């Protein structure tokens, strides 16, 4: 007979990945319950639990897809709740806990270090506390600078109170790559369309988006090392890919949309370049819309989905399969085309298991995106292209839409909620935490066989 006292003392042990996934669920549900209350809505009536859950999931998962215009539906309390969810979701719940620990000068234990490392997508336990401090205080400083720039810019036209509110809300939303806006007070559902010729607004928000999407590990190394030759291979790949995607994205959108009257066509050439640049920044993860996604050409939509799918850097506020993941896959393909059996970059070899991880992530997310597009188009009065756009946007936690979010059927809404959660918590967090957390080691292997491939 087992000792009952021993059983009573036995605690449920969760892996760090499981803790992260479950706490995110708790935060989403708490936010949804508050947003369901009539006191959170501008008209004093409850929007219902599902719309509130959709909004809370989108905010916590820093996506930006919404069933309502944020300013029109939510009052000051509701907008504050959304802003808090964005900050917690963007920086991670461990950041809030770590801030308390740092302020009260408490000792960081091994368990806390493990959860921090998992939340930041790093494996170096020794430096994770330093990295967490840089992330928290650096993030707050960058957001403060962005908020001040926007406040000063809006102040002469809209007054100090409105300018400060807009500055803080949109600086946080941009840095956390959330894409929520409260410009609906000017025109409901306009996002940044009214500022498409305002370089201060677009470049400030675009810079915040780009900085937030670089990743905290890259921050720490750039600040500490400050030498391209001494950067790690990962940091070099992130910086290189960011530059390529920024320039290539700008040129691509200008080429595809230059004469399209529904997006860039009616703008002067300098605003076209600005619009192409901002679209290249926001489409990879942020969700602010300065062009009108519904008016994009078919080529523009396809190009947007590719950039959304790639996303930003690991350990950042960005979504997508991540830049380095895609780069590893491309390097693998290039190596195989040249008949090489290994992947190398910057005179370093990439381990085979990481190549397989990259292939798994890209294949899984691509399969989910296609299924989502089919499901949305089959259950809602939406074309497959727009359904796929919505699906990729949710999975990559981007939040851009062609204007069909409010037309989603109930099953499609539930699927998008799952996709937003899945995209933010992470493919590896869910798969490793729940599917592989207690996996037994292989005790035997079958004999090899040769198959015809291709």
């Amino acid at each position: 007979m087992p000792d009952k006292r021993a059983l009573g003392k036995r605690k449920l042990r969760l892996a760090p990945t499981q803790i992260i996934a479950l706490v995110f669920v708790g935060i989403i549900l708490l936010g949804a319950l508050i947003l369901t209350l009539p006191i959170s809505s501008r008209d004093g009536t409850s929007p219902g639990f599902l719309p509130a859950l959709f909004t809370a999931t989108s905010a916590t998962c820093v996506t930006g897809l919404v069933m309502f215009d944020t300013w029109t539906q939510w009052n000051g309390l509701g907008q504050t709740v959304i802003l808090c969810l964005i900050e917690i979701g963007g920086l991670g719940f461990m950041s809030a806990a770590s801030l308390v620990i740092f302020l009260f000068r408490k000792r960081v234990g091994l368990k806390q270090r493990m959860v921090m490392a998992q939340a930041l997508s790093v494996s170096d336990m020794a430096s994770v506390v330093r990295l967490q401090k840089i992330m928290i205080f650096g993030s707050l400083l960058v957001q403060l600078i962005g908020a001040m720039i926007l406040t000063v810019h809006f102040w002469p036209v809209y007054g100090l109170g409105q300018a400060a509110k807009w500055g803080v809300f949109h600086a946080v939303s941009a840095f956390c790559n959330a894409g929520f806006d409260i410009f609906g007070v000017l025109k409901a559902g306009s996002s940044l369309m009214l500022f498409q010729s305002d370089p201060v607004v677009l470049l400030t928000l675009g810079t915040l988006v780009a900085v937030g999407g670089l990743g905290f590990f890259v921050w720490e190394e750039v600040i500490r090392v400050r030498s391209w030759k001494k950067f790690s291979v990962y940091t070099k790949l992130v910086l290189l890919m960011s530059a390529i995607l920024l320039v290539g994205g700008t040129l691509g959108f200008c080429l595809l949309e230059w004469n399209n009257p529904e997006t860039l066509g009616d703008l002067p050439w300098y605003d076209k370049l600005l619009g192409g640049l901002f679209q290249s920044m926001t489409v990879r993860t942020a969700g602010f819309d300065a062009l009108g996604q519904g008016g994009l050409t078919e080529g523009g939509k396809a190009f947007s989905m590719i950039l959304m799918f790639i996303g930003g850097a690991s350990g950042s506020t960005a979504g997508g399969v991540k830049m380095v993941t895609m780069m590893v896959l491309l390097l693998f393909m290039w190596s195989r085309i040249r008949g090489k059996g290994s992947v190398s970059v910057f005179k370093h070899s990439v381990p085979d298991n990481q190549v397989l991880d990259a292939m798994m992530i890209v294949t899984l997310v691509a399969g989910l995106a296609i299924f989502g597009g089919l499901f949305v188009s089959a259950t809602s009065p939406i074309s497959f292209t727009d359904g796929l756009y919505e699906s990729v946007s949710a999975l990559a936690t981007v939040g851009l839409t062609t204007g069909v979010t409010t037309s989603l059927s109930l099953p499609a809404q539930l699927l998008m909620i799952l996709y937003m959660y899945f995209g933010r918590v992470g493919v590896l967090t869910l798969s490793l935490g729940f599917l592989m957390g207690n996996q037994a080691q292989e005790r035997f292997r079958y004999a090899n066989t040769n198959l015809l491939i291709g």
Side-chain angles (χ1 to χ4, degrees), residues 165-189:
K165 183 178 180 180
W166 282 359
V168 172
F169 189 97
H170 296 103
V172 173
S173 183
F175 179 81
C176 292
N177 285 202
F180 279 79
D181 73 89
I182 51 174
F183 290 126
V185 63
L186 301 177
K187 182 180 179 181

Side-chain angles (χ1 to χ4, degrees), residues 12 17 57 68 94 139 145 147 159 188 190 236 264 285 342-343 423 434 454:
L12 177 63
T17 50
T57 304
F68 314 104
M94 270 309 298
S139 299
I145 294 173
S190 61
K236 289 180 179 179
L264 298 178
T285 184
S342 61
V343 177
F434 289 102

Side-chain angles (χ1 to χ4, degrees), residues 285-438:
T285 184
F288 291 113
D289 188 3
L291 294 185
Q293 305 302 302
L296 291 172
T297 62
E298 291 298 301
K301 290 179 181 178
F303 192 56
S304 296
M305 285 188 276
I306 292 173
L307 294 180
M308 285 193 289
F309 186 82
I310 295 173
S314 301
S316 71
T317 59
V321 299
K322 304 300 188 295
M323 293 184 291
V324 173
T325 302
M326 182 60 69
M327 176 61 82
V328 168
L329 182 59
L330 293 175
L331 289 171
F332 168 74
M333 295 170 62
W334 178 242
S335 296
R336 298 301 292 176
I337 289 173
R338 295 187 298 164
K340 293 186 176 182
S342 61
V343 177
S344 61
V345 58
F346 293 122
K347 298 181 180 180
H348 287 74
S349 296
V350 180
D352 291 342
N353 66 309
Q354 292 195 340
V355 175
L356 293 176
D357 288 342
M359 294 175 63
M360 184 274 291
I361 292 172
V362 172
T363 303
L364 178 59
V365 176
L368 289 173
I370 294 172
F371 171 79
L374 291 171
F375 187 86
V376 168
S377 62
T379 59
S380 307
I382 297 170
S383 68
F384 172 72
T385 300
D386 289 342
L388 182 61
Y389 199 97
E390 200 84 0
S391 177
V392 174
S393 181
L395 272 174
T397 67
V398 176
L400 287 173
T401 176
T402 56
V404 301
T405 306
T406 55
S407 301
L408 294 176
S409 65
L410 177 59
Q413 291 179 35
L414 294 174
L415 182 64
M416 292 304 101
I417 289 174
L418 291 175
Y419 272 16
M420 288 188 288
Y421 174 76
F422 189 79
R424 181 64 185 114
V425 174
V427 176
L428 287 180
T429 297
L430 287 177
S431 61
L432 293 177
F434 289 102
L435 301 179
M436 300 172 63
N438 299 315

Side-chain angles (χ1 to χ4, degrees), residues 8 21 27 32 46 53 100 150 177 198 249 266 334 376-377 382 395 426 450:
I27 293 171
S46 174
L53 178 64
V100 175
L150 293 173
N177 285 202
D198 190 328
D266 294 334
W334 178 242
V376 168
S377 62
I382 297 170
L395 272 174
N450 292 320

Side-chain angles (χ1 to χ4, degrees), residues 55 245 257 267 316:
T55 302
L245 292 174
E257 302 293 328
L267 301 176
S316 71

